[in-house]
Amino acid sequence: MKNSQLYYSVGALLYCPANNKTIADSILNQKFSRPFSLALCLEDAIADRYVSEAESILCHTLQKLYRHTQERDFFLPKIFIRVRTPEQIPRLSRQFGDSLEIVNGYIIPAFSLTNADDYIHALITVNEHSPKPLYMMPIYESPDLVDLRNRSFLLYALKDKLKPIEDRILNIRVGGNDLCHIFGFRRHLAESIHRIGPVANILSDIVTVYGTDYVVSGPVWEYFRGDCWRQGLIQEITDDKLCGFTGKTVIHPNQIEVVNAAYQVPAEDLADAKSILDWDASSHSLVAANPAGERMNEYKTHYNWARQTLFMAQAFGTK
């Protein structure tokens, strides 16, 4: 779904291990740039033998944040839980109790035909008992995607499965590092993932299949300190945007401000978008110079771009 600002509002999604005992205080003390969303991870950030402990810490974190929302105003990010199994979704939803009110949904790792039905059923089930909508963000990172002979079938088959809950899919997400791992690749500071042919082809196919109907979010950039990390991130976001991605997974608070700034809409783009959306569709002419007199606007050609630009401006602001 791409028909409202909601689907563009995930923005910079900060990953954090669910057993981090300081994340609640960091949010309450407003230590991070805003806006951002938060992914509390129970999957690959947690060793197998510590999952139960991490779930307990996660519940405490959510309860603490929820309690403070009842006492004062502060910026609370959209919160998503990255689970390991479908069974965790209804079980954790029950364990969260009242604090489920501040959870926006669940992130699904390695979404594939072997687990799609179970995850979708779990999401439908928890929504039947939830007073607010709970969303899902599947991650496309499975080794199955490498096989060219089956990739198109797999992507379209998964899209068909998502159709009944399309309005509850906030973003389609991609596991850039996981896909690189399959090939043994690791990009350096000056190397955008979109230059890695085999991986870039997979990302392009995902956008081709899903980009007309869903917001597809960009892959993680793993550098957050040192020389030129910021320039590398900006370059990859530039490539992300050109290739149809919106927003980005981030793994350090330093990256939030860069992502937000990169996705702010230029004022001239917003002016063009408003001009196109306000066009009199019954007019004899559906082509005209833009308000600045610098480029040509076409109602039929640029309408989808204009609507998306307006949503982006609502989510990220303008520059």
Side-chain angles (χ1 to χ4, degrees):
M1 296 286 287
K2 298 174 67 173
N3 60 1
S4 81
Q5 184 263 347
L6 172 67
Y7 298 95
Y8 294 84
S9 65
V10 177
L13 178 65
L14 175 65
Y15 261 65
C16 177
N19 62 355
N20 185 319
K21 296 180 180 180
T22 67
I23 187 65
D25 286 336
S26 294
I27 292 172
L28 292 170
N29 294 323
Q30 306 287 267
K31 288 188 174 182
F32 304 145
S33 297
R34 305 193 298 268
F36 71 98
S37 298
L38 180 65
L40 294 169
C41 182
L42 288 164
E43 204 237 351
D44 55 7
I46 306 295
D48 293 349
R49 63 184 181 277
Y50 294 118
V51 173
S52 294
E53 178 186 57
E55 289 181 352
S56 177
I57 295 170
L58 169 63
C59 288
H60 178 75
T61 295
L62 294 176
Q63 289 162 4
K64 183 173 184 177
L65 289 172
Y66 174 72
R67 186 171 67 251
H68 279 273
T69 64
Q70 308 304 299
E71 299 169 357
R72 64 183 176 92
D73 290 331
F74 61 96
F75 174 76
L76 182 70
K78 287 183 174 63
I79 297 176
F80 302 91
I81 313 303
R82 176 165 163 157
V83 294
R84 289 178 166 232
T85 67
E87 293 75 24
Q88 279 181 307
I89 293 177
R91 178 167 57 80
L92 289 173
S93 296
R94 290 191 298 269
Q95 286 180 223
F96 293 156
D98 289 343
S99 64
L100 183 64
E101 184 176 321
I102 65 170
V103 174
N104 294 89
Y106 294 91
I107 299 172
I108 312 304
F111 189 62
S112 69
L113 289 179
T114 60
N115 60 34
D117 289 336
D118 290 337
Y119 276 118
I120 291 168
H121 176 72
L123 186 77
I124 292 172
T125 299
V126 296
N127 270 289
E128 289 173 349
H129 304 285
S130 173
K132 55 169 282 186
L134 290 168
Y135 295 91
M136 187 169 92
M137 295 197 292
I139 308 177
Y140 287 66
E141 58 188 353
S142 168
D144 296 348
L145 291 170
V146 173
D147 190 343
L148 275 171
R149 296 165 298 182
N150 298 315
R151 186 185 301 161
S152 294
F153 166 79
L154 174 62
L155 290 174
Y156 281 107
L158 288 172
K159 187 179 183 182
D160 288 343
K161 287 186 177 294
L162 291 178
K163 185 66 177 177
I165 58 166
E166 184 180 41
D167 63 330
R168 295 298 169 92
I169 307 299
L170 274 191
N171 286 177
I172 300 295
R173 310 198 71 86
V174 296
N177 280 351
D178 290 86
L179 294 172
C180 285
H181 165 70
I182 296 168
F183 296 98
F185 300 152
R186 187 177 191 180
R187 62 202 189 277
H188 294 94
L189 277 168
E191 298 169 345
S192 164
I193 198 169
H194 299 283
R195 291 174 53 196
I196 305 175
V199 176
N201 289 339
I202 297 173
L203 299 181
S204 178
D205 287 346
I206 292 171
V207 172
T208 299
V209 174
Y210 290 86
T212 55
D213 301 301
Y214 297 93
V215 173
V216 185
S217 183
V220 68
W221 175 258
E222 60 189 327
Y223 298 93
F224 55 86
R225 284 199 188 100
D227 293 337
C228 301
W229 74 267
R230 188 181 296 264
Q231 292 92 322
L233 175 55
I234 291 171
Q235 180 58 59
E236 184 161 285
I237 294 173
T238 300
D239 293 343
D240 285 348
K241 291 163 65 177
L242 190 60
C243 294
F245 294 92
T246 301
K248 201 163 184 68
T249 298
V250 301
I251 43 80
H252 193 277
N254 284 354
Q255 299 175 335
I256 296 171
E257 183 180 5
V258 180
V259 173
N260 285 337
Y263 276 98
Q264 285 183 330
V265 174
E268 57 269 27
D269 280 1
L270 182 59
D272 281 13
K274 289 180 176 179
S275 176
I276 292 164
L277 294 173
D278 290 340
W279 208 302
D280 180 1
S282 64
S283 170
H284 292 291
S285 176
L286 299 181
V287 179
N290 75 335
E294 297 171 341
R295 61 182 178 183
M296 196 64 68
N297 285 340
E298 299 184 47
Y299 174 75
K300 289 185 176 180
T301 302
H302 295 133
Y303 182 84
N304 287 342
W305 169 86
R307 189 175 70 156
Q308 176 175 291
T309 299
L310 189 64
F311 292 147
M312 294 273 287
Q314 292 169 352
F316 293 97
T318 59
K319 59 182 175 184

